[in-house]
Structures are given as C-alpha cells and as structure tokens.
Amino acid sequence: MKKIVLIITAIVLTCCMISVLVACNGTAEPAMDQVEMSYDTTTDYGIYWFGDDNYDYVRSGNNMDTKYFDPSKPTFVFAHGWEPDSANSTDGLFEDFVTHKETVSYTGASKRDYAKILKEQGYNVACLSWFSYAKTLGKNFKYIWLEFDGGYSLSTRFAMELALVLGEDYKGDVKMVGHSYGSQLALATTYQLVKMQKNKNFSNNHIIPTRMTFADPYFGAIQFITGWQSIRNKNISFTNEPLDSRAPSALFADITNYIVTNKDIAVDTYFGMSIASTSYYKYDGSDSNFEKLLKNTTIVKSEGLKNRYTDLNIHNIVRDWVLSSIVDNVLLYDQNNDVAPSGAASDAQIKAMRGNCYYQTYEGFNLSKDSLQLINRKAQTF
C-alpha cells in the first residue's frame, strides 16, 4: 500500500511540475529559475545601439565599441510602435529615431535626429526594434506579452538582451520612452526586468529603468486583437502569470501599478489620438482602469494639439512633442506656476505629480509657447 501511495504521489508531483513548465502556447517552457539568460545576435529584431554619426548603429553584442555602449553613461531606450509600412525606416530594421514625417508635414517642424542629439548630451541610445513584425496590428499584443515565433514574447527577449548588455557592473540610470504600441512593449519589457531581478536572474538594480514615459500609448480594446477568444486565458511569457481575460487597458493599468509599487519608477503619460487610448476611458471617476493608472502616473491630454491638427492627425505629433521636451530640456508649468509634466521634469517631480491630470494647451507645435492646465477632477471631468 505504501508503494502504491508513493507512486501516486510521484505521479501527482510530476503532473504538477509539468503544468508549471507548460507555456501559454502548450509547449514546454522552463520555469523562471531554470532559465539561462541569453539572446540571439543574428535576429533582425532586437536592441540596436546608435553610434556618433547619422544612421550609424549596431545590434547588441559582446565587446561593443564604447561609441555604441559606454557603461559609464546613462542609457536612453526608445520603443517604436505599430509600423504599417517602411516609409519611416531607412533600411526596414527600425523606425528612424528622428522627427516623424507626419509631424514635419502637419506642423512645419524641422526634421531632427534625436539619437544624435541624445548622444551629444552624453547618453547611450538604444532602440527596441521589432519593425518587420509590427505591421499586423491585431498580433502586436500577443507578440509583446504572450508569445513570439514559437517561444518567448518580444518583451522577454528584449529584457534578457538589455540586462546582459548592461551587466551587473552598470551604474548608470535607464530612461525608457515608448510610443503607441511601443508603450506596451516598453512597459512589458520593464515588467520582465523587474520579475527577472526578483527571480535572481540578475541583481543589479541599475538595469531597471528609473523613468518610463508613454507618448500617446496604445491601451486600446480587444477588437484590435486577432483571435482574442483563443488567447484571453493564456499566460504572460516567462512569468506564467495568467492574462485572465484582461484587455490591454486593464493589463496596462495592472502592470504599471506593479512596477511603481515594487520599484517606485517615475511614470508620465501623454494621451493624444482617441482611437489609441482615450476613447476607451471614462474620466469621470467611474473607470477603475483609468483610476488605477492615474494613481501611479501623471497624465496629460493633448487638447491644444488636437484642436489645431485634429484628433486623427496627432498620434505622431504627440510622439515628437514628448521627445522634443526631452532633448530640448523644456520645463513646463501649469496655471499655478507649478512644474507640470514634460520630458524635462525630474523623476522626483514626476513622482510628486502622481494622480494629477493636465491639459496641454498651446494650439501649435511650439513648446516654448506651451503650458499645461492642472485639472480639478472634483469640479470637472478629465
């Protein structure tokens, strides 16, 4: 009888272990503590590091020249979003990190090379590139959070690559900016980094971004996800956390809450085109997802840009508004002459603004003339 009990117990334990190791796509995936951190340098997706000259860049690799990655410098990481065509890419590898052609067309702004400017300001500059795979809008959520190419999600792969490039001796800060669906990628990558550190895959706290900035992020709804019914109960890659039918907006709010609660990351969010985000939220206090997001970030609604250029045209203009505020170090103020959100606001200032909602006011693309209006949500809806 004892032998039978032991055999049954062994079978049960084996089944439990198998259930832990089965990934969201039904194939075996190692548990977190069994994973060896690695990345494939031969893929076209991955992290690209900019050099000192225009359009000079390399994929991550061992012993990169310090003109691409200098461990003594802070690091700026940009995550691009959905790319329906190659019009904004020199070679199809990633979105050129310059002023978007739509911003130049609609606003008359000059085309500027953000990577070159940031390099001159003393940053390592990197791009989370998935350009060739971000063309089918309905698949982006799955690729970022759940599974990509039969294995780990893109965010898991990017997190491993970034952690290994920076390494245990890195002492700089990491700033991460995501645009559109790239905000989902930036958030998911940071979440994976936090989880990997917690799991002792690495220990260096400097690998975790200290600042997350979302430029017209895609929160969205399930109608923009292909095959939602088949994936809504899958698990998040690597962490094996159940998705539990959470739409992108709910997951985004939950994950932002997690990284802020666990790592006190400064997060600022700039809404623009309604179809990307704001049409899916009620700002009257009744939407729990919006309220959870707001608790952990400060939120700007781009009213002035929308009034000037129309709702459907501001998605990339908001991207460049945010990036310009960073590279030009434009500090903005509200109607009370208090510091308001922008790329120039310090991490401490952004943290102090958590829970605040603002309108961007200037009806044009000129940050030197712009200001923000702090909204009293007790007296009006956002």
Side-chain angles (χ1 to χ4, degrees):
M1 177 63 78
K2 282 186 176 181
K3 185 176 291 186
I4 293 173
V5 171
L6 288 172
I7 291 173
I8 292 173
T9 301
I11 292 173
V12 170
L13 288 173
T14 301
C15 290
C16 290
M17 289 175 66
I18 291 173
S19 68
V20 169
L21 294 174
V22 172
C24 60
N25 60 4
T27 59
E29 178 177 87
M32 289 172 61
D33 60 355
Q34 296 176 321
V35 170
E36 180 179 352
M37 302 275 283
S38 65
Y39 63 95
D40 183 356
T41 61
T42 66
T43 61
D44 53 357
Y45 64 86
I47 302 179
Y48 287 78
W49 300 84
F50 291 85
D52 299 324
D53 301 319
N54 291 340
Y55 309 113
D56 175 26
Y57 51 81
V58 295
R59 258 301 304 278
S60 297
N62 294 328
N63 302 315
M64 284 189 294
D65 190 291
T66 54
K67 75 173 183 176
Y68 299 110
F69 174 72
D70 185 336
S72 69
K73 295 180 178 179
T75 299
F76 186 102
V77 181
F78 178 70
H80 70 76
W82 176 47
E83 294 298 335
D85 55 48
S86 59
N88 302 300
S89 172
T90 298
D91 57 11
L93 285 174
F94 56 80
E95 178 181 287
D96 291 334
F97 196 29
V98 299
T99 310
H100 198 280
K101 67 181 182 67
E102 289 186 355
T103 302
V104 174
S105 174
Y106 291 130
T107 73
S110 299
K111 183 178 178 180
R112 306 176 69 198
D113 187 332
Y114 300 122
K116 185 175 179 60
I117 296 170
L118 287 164
K119 291 288 290 185
E120 291 170 350
Q121 292 176 353
Y123 285 95
N124 300 308
V125 182
C127 178
L128 304 185
S129 177
W130 52 305
F131 192 91
S132 299
Y133 307 91
K135 296 180 180 180
T136 305
L137 185 60
K139 295 181 180 180
N140 289 354
F141 182 85
K142 177 183 176 182
Y143 288 167
I144 289 170
W145 290 100
L146 306 178
E147 178 269 334
F148 175 73
D149 194 26
Y152 283 128
S153 68
L154 286 171
S155 62
T156 303
R157 299 169 194 237
F158 284 130
M160 288 184 180
E161 187 168 337
L162 186 60
L164 289 169
V165 170
L166 296 183
E168 291 290 0
D169 296 328
Y170 182 68
K171 300 301 181 186
D173 289 332
V174 177
K175 177 194 291 285
M176 193 174 291
V177 176
H179 171 235
S180 189
Y181 236 125
S183 295
Q184 293 264 350
L185 179 59
L187 178 62
T189 300
T190 299
Y191 176 65
Q192 295 287 5
L193 287 170
V194 173
K195 285 290 191 177
M196 288 172 186
Q197 186 195 44
K198 183 177 181 181
N199 194 60
K200 297 181 171 48
N201 293 99
F202 65 85
S203 61
N204 185 3
N205 204 48
H206 289 270
I207 293 173
I208 308 296
T210 58
R211 178 75 166 269
M212 300 285 295
T213 298
F214 303 129
D216 204 5
Y218 172 75
F219 295 133
I222 60 174
Q223 64 256 39
F224 290 111
I225 300 176
T226 302
W228 173 251
Q229 291 301 317
S230 65
I231 66 173
R232 64 187 180 90
N233 289 317
K234 299 297 186 181
N235 291 352
I236 294 174
S237 175
F238 188 75
T239 69
N240 289 315
E241 177 190 354
L243 183 56
D244 197 24
S245 297
R246 285 174 291 179
S249 55
L251 183 64
F252 202 106
D254 285 347
I255 299 300
T256 302
N257 181 69
Y258 182 89
I259 66 168
V260 170
T261 300
N262 285 271
K263 287 297 179 180
D264 194 31
I265 297 172
V267 184
D268 44 337
T269 303
Y270 303 85
F271 283 166
M273 182 173 64
S274 296
I275 196 171
S277 55
T278 54
S279 63
Y280 301 111
Y281 282 105
K282 293 181 179 178
Y283 302 107
D284 58 3
S286 65
D287 190 307
S288 60
N289 292 329
F290 179 80
E291 299 306 318
K292 181 178 288 187
L293 183 70
L294 179 60
K295 181 186 75 172
N296 294 288
T297 182
T298 180
I299 294 177
V300 174
K301 198 174 180 182
S302 303
E303 285 293 287
L305 295 176
K306 182 176 70 173
N307 291 340
R308 175 67 184 275
Y309 304 109
T310 76
D311 183 83
L312 290 177
N313 292 331
I314 63 172
H315 187 52
N316 292 307
I317 297 174
V318 172
R319 165 195 185 269
D320 290 301
W321 188 99
V322 171
L323 291 171
S324 295
S325 77
I326 293 172
V327 300
D328 292 334
N329 197 33
V330 180
L331 199 61
L332 296 175
Y333 296 86
D334 64 19
Q335 69 271 32
N336 303 312
N337 205 34
D338 292 327
V339 173
S342 75
S346 69
D347 293 354
Q349 288 169 327
I350 291 296
K351 291 177 186 180
M353 292 181 236
R354 285 173 183 159
N356 287 357
C357 290
Y358 298 82
Y359 281 152
Q360 173 270 332
T361 64
Y362 183 69
E363 296 185 1
F365 189 79
N366 188 334
L367 276 76
S368 67
K369 296 181 179 181
D370 218 332
S371 63
L372 277 71
Q373 179 186 359
L374 178 63
I375 300 300
N376 181 355
R377 297 185 70 222
K378 293 182 179 178
Q380 61 193 115
T381 59
F382 181 57

